[in-house]
Amino acid sequence: MAGLRERQKEARRTAILRTAKALFNRRGYTAVSIEEIAARAELSVGTVYNYFRTKAEILFTMSMLELDALRGRQQKIAGDSRLSTAKAFNRMHRLFFEWVNREHRSLGRAISYLEISLVGKEQALMAETFQEPIREILVSHQRRGLLRPNIDLSVTTRIIYNLGNSEYQRFMTDERRTVNE
């Protein structure tokens, strides 16, 4: 069990993330400052910087936590032996875009810019998080004999990821696009 100090630290971190999400969704990522996040979370600016170096790091952390929550549903799709490969990817695609539409439509441009600005370890983690469920479907379907055994899963995963990323960019930059398109 975590001690009082650890619980207080986690409570402050959670308050920063929750406050930032609400402000980003209401006013847009670029319109919100670290100072405003701190004031609304009832923390000092220095405290916010103790937890996150930049506003982009807040957005990155927030996105990764929310993607972790989505992973359970993605894993169920990957493990569903009743689905063809095409149906599995269709469901995964729909699940992701419904989630994006519900949770992040207003943050789309900020997240897109964030992905471009990430470097090194953070960029690799973001890409890996998106590619992991794709690879899970490919591995599962290859084991079940639905895909040829000589398919290079790493290359195929990256191709599908890049196609999905292109669709994500189009979806996020055109407010008229819907999940059904």
Side-chain angles (χ1 to χ4, degrees):
M1 182 167 181
L4 175 62
R5 186 172 177 137
E6 287 78 26
R7 289 192 310 270
Q8 289 172 332
K9 287 173 81 171
E10 186 55 33
R12 283 190 292 271
R13 183 176 183 273
T14 299
I16 294 165
L17 293 170
R18 190 179 321 114
T19 302
K21 180 179 179 180
L23 289 170
F24 294 163
N25 280 326
R26 191 175 358 192
R27 297 204 13 253
Y29 174 79
T30 56
V32 176
S33 68
I34 293 280
E35 291 77 13
E36 185 175 3
I37 294 167
R40 292 284 175 96
E42 298 180 350
L43 298 168
S44 71
V45 173
T47 298
V48 174
Y49 281 114
N50 284 337
Y51 288 84
F52 302 98
R53 295 173 307 211
T54 64
K55 188 169 68 167
E57 187 177 341
I58 293 172
L59 181 61
F60 173 77
T61 302
M62 186 174 65
S63 297
M64 294 304 292
L65 289 171
E66 291 177 4
L67 283 172
D68 284 347
L70 185 66
R71 289 290 296 133
R73 293 178 66 196
Q74 291 174 323
Q75 287 171 333
K76 284 182 184 177
I77 293 169
D80 190 339
S81 62
R82 299 167 299 164
L83 298 176
S84 68
T85 305
K87 269 208 188 309
F89 279 118
N90 185 290
R91 285 202 183 159
M92 186 83 70
H93 184 266
R94 185 167 187 79
L95 172 68
F96 176 76
F97 279 94
E98 285 172 350
W99 173 78
V100 166
N101 194 49
R102 186 176 57 253
E103 297 292 329
H104 281 293
R105 191 69 183 248
S106 63
L107 294 178
R109 287 195 177 105
I111 292 170
S112 297
Y113 295 134
L114 171 65
E115 290 173 357
I116 292 167
S117 69
L118 294 175
V119 293
K121 186 172 73 172
E122 290 171 337
Q123 190 175 44
L125 181 59
M126 181 72 87
E128 181 181 315
T129 299
F130 285 111
Q131 291 178 37
E132 188 176 329
I134 295 168
R135 183 168 178 75
E136 286 173 5
I137 290 174
L138 294 172
V139 167
S140 170
H141 287 232
Q142 193 174 56
R143 284 185 185 142
R144 291 178 19 220
L146 298 173
L147 296 174
R148 291 190 326 244
N150 63 342
I151 290 176
D152 185 327
L153 296 182
S154 294
V155 171
T156 307
T157 298
R158 284 194 305 273
I159 289 169
I160 294 170
Y161 166 75
N162 287 330
L163 289 170
N165 198 33
S166 295
E167 182 61 25
Y168 170 78
Q169 296 298 327
R170 285 191 296 276
F171 182 75
M172 296 308 277
T173 56
D174 184 353
E175 291 293 324
R176 297 167 301 180
R177 287 185 72 119
T178 66
V179 173
N180 295 323
E181 292 182 46

